Amino acid sequence: MTALQPGERFPDLDLPDHTGRARTLSELAAGDPVVLVFSRGWWCPKEQRYLRELTGLQDEFEVAYTRIVVVSVDEPGVQSAFRAGLGARFTFLSDAQRQWLGRLGLEETTDTTHHPYLPTAFTLHPDLTIHAVYPGYWYWGRATMQELRRDMRTISRAVREGFDGP
Amino acid sequence: MSSAGFTWEGRSFQIDARCLEGDPVPGAWVHVCALPDEGARIQYDQPEVQQVRRDALAWWIPLLGDELVCLSTLALDEVYCGGAITVARSPRLFDQDPFARLFPGTVIRSDVFSVVAAPAGPVLERYAGAPWPGGRFG
């Protein structure tokens, strides 16, 4: 389990995206609340199921000034194909070199074949302060779409001036 | 500043200011999907405009890859869109530009556009009327 807890600032990840371009997490947040999902990779049926669910939520995110970012150990080309298959319009970050995996304490030690991320989701304020953490090793530990909506509402209420109406 | 002026064929538009703020890419190719006619405009909230922006995030930007320099919709005011520009290091993929579904494309060359990080999806909504994908709150 990660040591990162609510109230702490999430590290500003610097990784290539699914097209291979260098990106930072703060750049992707761009002043908006973020759902940050660490995913095992394309091969895992649980990840396929969960990311299909998340893709279904993107229609709401795209009109609500909120972002979705997925991190996995897949290579950018693989992520790009997986993303296209899902129909996702959000950004994937590739940590194929495992440069952040250990630093974040998110190694899934039981998978000695892929050495992937331990499935974990964070909801973040625009400045990357952690609002909530969802451990997803067991599928039922993962954030439901309703929980993500609830967190985006709470964060947006805190950071958007006039949230209850101008 | 989130928008900057862009004039083409005597017509003035607003584009994402970041497209003009960095080091210019000499000889970049610009696909201008717009018409000189002042009446050639469409509301940002129309489904066609929403869908081409979804397509831009889903496959147009990944298709361009490192060839992409920047892109921006062409804002006329807080309501209307006059089209879009995609700036690239090569024109070879412009025949697939989804923004050409709004208005036909014209290819020009320019030395003024700079590299802008591709937008992070899935946000489609504009920030206070700024040309998409620019702008932010606060």
Side-chain angles (χ1 to χ4, degrees):
Chain A
M1 184 177 170
T2 180
L4 292 163
Q5 295 301 316
E8 296 177 20
R9 188 74 60 90
F10 201 92
D12 193 9
L13 307 178
D14 52 344
L15 291 167
D17 69 15
H18 56 272
T19 69
R21 290 193 195 87
R23 310 298 287 253
T24 63
L25 184 58
S26 57
E27 167 203 332
L28 297 178
D32 292 334
V34 180
V35 170
L36 175 64
V37 175
F38 289 87
S39 177
R40 290 187 179 102
W42 71 272
W43 67 85
C44 176
K46 299 178 186 68
E47 303 305 323
Q48 294 168 12
R49 178 67 191 87
Y50 191 70
L51 291 181
R52 278 201 300 274
E53 194 80 5
L54 203 59
T55 300
L57 197 61
Q58 71 182 349
D59 290 3
E60 294 176 55
F61 272 66
E62 72 182 11
V63 296
Y65 303 105
T66 41
R67 313 269 173 170
I68 300 170
V69 178
V70 175
V71 184
S72 77
V73 297
D74 290 333
E75 296 283 352
V78 173
Q79 287 185 328
S80 200
F82 184 38
R83 178 180 179 272
L86 290 166
R89 299 187 289 275
F90 43 83
T91 303
F92 282 60
L93 294 176
S94 170
D95 193 8
Q97 307 306 314
R98 277 78 171 168
Q99 65 184 88
W100 279 99
L101 190 144
R103 292 155 75 180
L104 296 172
L106 287 174
E107 304 104 324
E108 182 165 274
T109 54
T110 52
D111 183 343
T112 55
T113 301
H114 301 99
H115 301 287
Y117 272 97
L118 183 67
T120 310
F122 297 84
T123 49
L124 306 176
H125 286 250
D127 66 358
L128 308 187
T129 299
I130 299 168
H131 173 75
V133 185
Y134 297 90
Y137 181 76
W138 292 94
Y139 193 86
W140 295 123
R142 296 178 184 222
T144 65
M145 299 305 107
Q146 282 302 85
E147 286 170 325
L148 296 181
R149 287 188 182 96
R150 182 200 60 198
D151 287 4
M152 292 299 102
R153 174 188 291 166
T154 302
I155 298 170
S156 294
R157 186 186 294 277
V159 302
R160 302 299 192 208
E161 195 175 334
F163 184 81
D164 294 318
Chain B
M1 185 174 72
S2 60
S3 66
F6 170 70
T7 302
W8 173 74
E9 296 284 330
R11 193 175 182 202
S12 297
F13 305 94
Q14 292 291 310
I15 62 171
D16 184 346
R18 297 172 301 167
C19 297
L20 302 173
E21 287 177 347
D23 295 332
V25 176
W29 298 83
V30 186
H31 200 220
V32 184
C33 294
L35 290 169
D37 178 2
E38 293 289 343
R41 61 183 192 171
I42 184 171
Q43 289 183 9
Y44 267 103
D45 291 340
Q46 288 290 315
E48 299 96 309
V49 185
Q50 296 276 338
Q51 189 56 45
V52 292
R53 283 185 279 166
R54 290 190 182 103
D55 287 346
L57 290 170
W59 57 264
W60 177 229
I61 291 165
L63 181 68
L64 289 164
D66 289 338
E67 291 188 16
L68 176 67
V69 174
C70 60
L71 61 77
S72 175
T73 55
L74 301 172
L76 295 169
D77 53 35
E78 292 185 352
V79 176
Y80 285 102
C81 172
I85 55 169
T86 297
V87 185
R89 299 178 193 277
S90 157
R92 68 184 181 92
L93 296 168
F94 283 170
D95 62 345
Q96 299 179 60
D97 187 345
F99 289 107
R101 298 205 305 264
L102 299 179
F103 299 105
T106 301
V107 179
I108 61 175
R109 297 198 78 173
S110 173
D111 296 323
V112 303
F113 291 99
S114 50
V115 175
V116 178
V123 174
L124 294 179
E125 208 65 83
R126 292 182 307 143
Y127 297 83
W132 185 85
R136 59 182 290 169
F137 292 118

